[in-house]
Amino acid sequence: TPEGTADQAKVVFERLEAVLRRARMSFRDVVRFDVYLTDQSDVKTFVEVRDRIMGDHKPAATIVIVKGLARPALKIEIEVVAAKVD
C-alpha cells in the first residue's frame, strides 16, 4: 500500500480499470463514485487524480470523510457503479 493518498488513488483506479475491462467496460461506463477519505484535505488530491484519469467524463460522486478505514494505512476507498446498455 503506497503511503500517499494520490498514489493510493492511482492504485485504486488501476484496479478499477482492470475490473471494468474484464466486464468489457471502461471508465466511460462509470455512472457513480462513492469515495471515502480519512482526511478532508485529500479531497483536492482525489479530484485531481480522478480528473486526470476520467478526462471530460464526470459521473456523479459522493465524497465522505471518515475517521478511519478497515486498515489504518488506507487513506482512500472508492466504490464505483458502472452501467452499460446492450
Side-chain angles (χ1 to χ4, degrees), residues 23-86:
R24 296 190 179 121
M25 300 172 95
S26 72
F27 283 122
R28 288 272 177 209
D29 298 303
V30 172
V31 296
R32 175 172 188 76
F33 285 107
D34 290 319
V35 182
Y36 304 90
L37 293 165
T38 60
D39 189 332
Q40 175 78 38
S41 66
D42 286 331
V43 171
K44 181 180 178 192
T45 301
F46 163 72
V47 170
E48 289 171 352
V49 172
R50 179 203 61 194
D51 289 352
R52 189 169 45 252
I53 292 168
M54 299 296 292
D56 64 349
H57 181 59
K58 306 284 190 215
T62 299
I63 300 174
V64 180
I65 309 305
V66 296
K67 184 176 179 179
L69 294 166
R71 291 184 16 226
L74 297 178
K75 298 175 184 240
I76 186 169
E77 182 172 319
I78 304 172
E79 181 178 331
V80 171
V81 176
K84 190 165 192 156
V85 177
D86 290 331

Side-chain angles (χ1 to χ4, degrees), residues 3-23:
E3 189 173 320
T5 302
D7 290 333
Q8 286 186 20
K10 289 174 193 170
V11 168
V12 172
F13 275 102
E14 288 169 2
R15 291 177 182 171
L16 288 171
E17 184 176 32
V19 171
L20 289 166
R21 200 175 307 135
R22 289 203 39 123

